[in-house]
Amino acid sequence: MRTSQPQTIYLSDYKVPAYLVDTVELTFELFEDGARVHSTLELRRNPESAEASAPLELDGDSLKLESVALDGAKLAASDYEDRGDQLVIRSVPDRFRLTTVTWIEPQNNTRLEGLYKSSGMFCTQCEAEGFRCITYFPDRPDVMARFRTRIEASKEAYPILLSNGNDVEKGELENGRHFVTWEDPFPKPCYLFALVAGDLVEKRDSFTTCSGRDIDLRMYVEPRNARKCDHAMDSLKRSMRWDEEVYGREYDLDIFMIVAVDDFNMGAMENKGLNIFNSSCVLASQETATDIAFQRIEAIVAHEYFHNWSGNRVTCRDWFQLSLKEGFTVFRDSQFSADMGSPTVKRIEDVTLLRTAQFAEDSGPMAHPVRPASYMEITNFYTLTVYEKGEEVVRMIHTLLGPDMFRKGSDLYFERHDGQAVTTDDFVKAMEDASGRDLSQFRLWYEQAGTPVLTVSDEFDAGPGIYRLTIEQNIPDTPGQTNKKPQHIPFSLGLLGQDGQPLPLQLEADASEAPTERVLELTEAVHTFDFHGVEAKPVPSLLRHFSAPVRVRYPWTREQLLFLMSHDPDGFNRWDAGQRLAVDVIQSLVGAADGSEVEPRLVEAYRKLVSDTDLDQALVAKMLQLPSEAYLIELAENADVPAIHQARETVLKCLAHALRNELLACYQRNLETGAYEVTPEAIARRSLRNTALAWLLVINDEKGRTLAVSQLNQADNMTDRMGALQALVNSDYEDDRRQALDEFYNSFRDDPQVVEQWFSVQAASDRAGQLPDIRKLLEHPAFDWKNPNKIRSVVGAFAGQNLAAFHNPDGSGYDFLADQVCRLDDSNPQIAARLVTPLTRWQKFAPAYSGPMKSALERIRDKDGLSRDVYEVVHKSLAG
Ligand code: B3K
Ligand code: ZN
């Protein structure tokens, strides 16, 4: 057991830094057995700090200090204190130069924070607190400095040497070494520092900005990946143009670089001018990446690029403000993706993630506000709440202000705070000042955790023709927060007449021209709205576009849902009505006797959908997806996963049997005729035919099997190949499954990004991914405990997606996960803490499951020398 409890850091303890850093000069000497880092900081006391005589305290982690000098004079050991995690110098002048030399071992850095090695190259990850693993520094985002970085390394092994900004000098050194010096003219916090050294190929392109400046665009990848860069490069150019057009943001440096690395803890990082990406989030080709990967890459490239303004030029004052840059940037990237494809489909995808995973987080023991008030380990707070709910909060401001005022607000924010480290409050203030709107109550969205529940009831009074809607809001208690205040909620709605036509929403008896969609603003615990001039009881279309991250409770009848599914002019609510209906049908079958009937009206509604060629095919493809097991669990109390799994399978099989002919027709209708394209239409076609295939194989249809085998062999792209593989893997055709998996592996064994997909298609399947299979995957030669992608694609996919197998009533899935968490805790605590997530939800499950889940958590808790990362997650989960 840990002997001391990790410290909790509180937002309320924030103090301005006692010292500021004007410039940083770094020299890296890179070797195979380590790296020497020379750092020279120009420091001065912060005039705004109340602590006039505070000692200088610099953060450090796993550093070997070789020397310290102040204004050129070497300090004796008695002049400073090396506390391990801090270098403290008690007496310093008001302004001085501090030089330190430290020795680090990137080759042994398995945490992948700071400077480390990945496939033979050196790379860095400094957000949030990785810079302190490189050198002593005030490692906090409100210390912004100008960096100059010289990198020295073997020229043969590391011909490419990169850092932020512009390369200002390069040359040869003795012993086959060379150097490059980089200078970044923009002051930045150290979390945006980056360095890369490796044997990489360069792909070049260029972009002319709105003011006519030519920007050099460069991608650096390992030679074998040279043909996988085009999509990211095109996405980058589209993002740069979009940010100019939609937000008026022009790129500021002369060079923009992207590097792909295989070992990376998350998706990508927005280092100034030098974005570093997880290979799986940037490399793509038709043969190796699915449509989903293509779309994800476009979104992540955009996200990191957009951070150049929302995050880098204007950064966070402290890490409690993380959503300032993340929530806003996710909002920007989702607007971008909506503009590049189908806005409705993008909204459906975002809401699916939010409702499935963020709502679960918000109702579990780790629930926290968008702006948390405390943390032990900041890495644990890169959460769905900070990112996705944070996005929704910005989206609600956009809805309340309207697009023009929102743009005025963002212009003001960027202008007012350029070069500063600020707070979410500063963001809201800029929006208020630009629009004249009062957002004081709205700010509660940043402070209060928990998903608001809106209970809606209605009545119709035929006499005066009034339809009355009553909306009550409740915000559930979350750890440390009770009795919450009502929040300011934009609630978008429409009403449909019995003929399916939208009704004018007349809020006053005498209003003449009323719109057919309105945004109601909820600010009180209960509101009543009277709609006048209504002739017959309408069907309400509530929370259109998902205008707020809330749960809506309304006693929908199946009849109403079917009506909305085919009449709602809001595509999002059409989809949502279909989901609600399917949820209702599946829920009614949980625990029901074998052979119970599946609602025939659901079957007929799906029959109509599979055959519908008039409706947007991308929307049809989404509407055909049944609610996921994860979502059904989120909606359940005392969830019994195998029973939920069974009920969902029953519905799926019933639909597949009943619609077999329509599915075959849908498959044929959507066969590819021309060349492969990544357009919304082509993506929808592939999605429809792969859904048809998957459904046919769920019922072991012979024709489906033949189609799957030939699609697998003939496909010219990974979406179709993976669609066929997945369908076979999830069928009962065991021989075909084995053969398909072996052949697939043999064709792609040299491509790590494809091997990761191969791992996860098995780990996520209840047929191919039972625990003994998973253990075999861990023994597979392509599995690598040091590579986070591999860990996620086996252990993460098993515990996060293969829910019936993970929740095996014998508890073996939980024990397995606890073992892997303990194993990873020493080498990569960040990844270990992420993997714990499925166990943290233990209270959600029926006692037969929650007990063993809790025991697994306790076993992790009792591990010797538990990391701070895992400690925080496990202790909070057990307490909550
Ligand atoms: N800002 C990074 C995330 C860093 C995570 C550090 N543990 C990627 C992003 O959100 O753009
Ligand atoms: Zn981000």
Side-chain angles (χ1 to χ4, degrees), residues 433-458:
D433 291 350
S435 67
R437 287 218 48 167
D438 176 0
L439 296 173
S440 37
Q441 185 185 5
F442 185 85
R443 283 178 168 83
L444 289 171
W445 279 105
Y446 288 95
E447 291 161 34
Q448 297 190 152
T451 307
V453 178
L454 300 183
T455 307
V456 182
S457 56
D458 57 354

Side-chain angles (χ1 to χ4, degrees), residues 407-571:
R407 170 66 196 270
K408 270 180 76 181
S410 72
D411 283 351
L412 179 62
Y413 168 72
F414 288 126
E415 184 197 303
R416 189 183 268 178
H417 298 296
D418 191 9
Q420 296 177 4
V422 302
T423 63
T424 53
D425 226 39
D426 293 318
F427 178 80
V428 178
K429 184 84 173 57
M431 290 292 164
E432 279 181 322
D433 291 350
S435 67
R437 287 218 48 167
D438 176 0
L439 296 173
S440 37
Q441 185 185 5
F442 185 85
R443 283 178 168 83
L444 289 171
W445 279 105
Y446 288 95
E447 291 161 34
Q448 297 190 152
T451 307
V453 178
L454 300 183
T455 307
V456 182
S457 56
D458 57 354
E459 53 189 308
F460 176 63
D461 193 346
I466 293 179
Y467 175 69
R468 171 170 297 173
L469 210 55
T470 303
I471 309 178
E472 187 185 327
Q473 69 162 294
N474 281 294
I475 307 175
D477 292 349
T478 44
Q481 283 191 340
T482 51
N483 295 326
K484 296 176 199 184
K485 299 188 194 118
Q487 289 177 188
H488 184 175
I489 301 175
F491 187 87
S492 170
L493 91 165
L495 298 177
L496 300 190
Q498 286 178 344
D499 55 358
Q501 291 305 308
L503 300 181
L505 305 178
Q506 226 170 278
L507 279 171
E508 316 263 318
D510 56 356
S512 48
E513 252 198 60
T516 56
E517 181 171 304
R518 274 183 187 273
V519 180
L520 305 175
E521 295 193 22
L522 313 177
T523 51
E524 312 281 334
V526 186
H527 282 268
T528 300
F529 300 94
D530 282 355
F531 297 97
H532 298 258
V534 183
E535 283 167 13
K537 185 167 181 180
V539 177
S541 165
L542 304 174
L543 200 73
R544 279 194 172 161
H545 331 290
F546 208 72
S547 61
V550 299
R551 296 178 200 264
V552 175
R553 301 222 198 286
Y554 172 82
W556 272 288
T557 61
R558 290 186 180 178
E559 206 58 58
Q560 285 178 314
L561 292 172
L562 286 157
F563 183 83
L564 290 172
M565 255 179 106
S566 46
H567 292 105
D568 202 317
D570 177 35

Side-chain angles (χ1 to χ4, degrees), residues 158-225:
Y158 308 100
I160 300 288
L161 304 175
L162 310 173
S163 190
N164 319 84
N166 303 309
D167 41 345
V168 291
E169 205 186 342
K170 58 181 76 172
E172 308 286 320
L173 298 166
E174 284 175 1
N175 301 325
R177 293 171 67 80
H178 71 146
F179 77 93
V180 179
T181 302
W182 292 82
E183 209 169 68
D184 183 354
F186 293 95
K188 64 169 176 288
C190 65
Y191 83 85
L192 290 173
F193 170 80
L195 175 156
V196 169
D199 186 2
L200 304 169
V201 291
E202 182 185 74
K203 301 293 265 183
R204 280 202 184 216
D205 208 325
S206 71
F207 176 82
T208 307
T209 69
C210 50
S211 73
R213 291 172 40 243
D214 284 328
I215 313 295
D216 242 346
L217 308 180
R218 307 181 189 167
M219 273 185 79
Y220 294 93
V221 298
E222 289 175 55
R224 64 188 163 85
N225 292 323

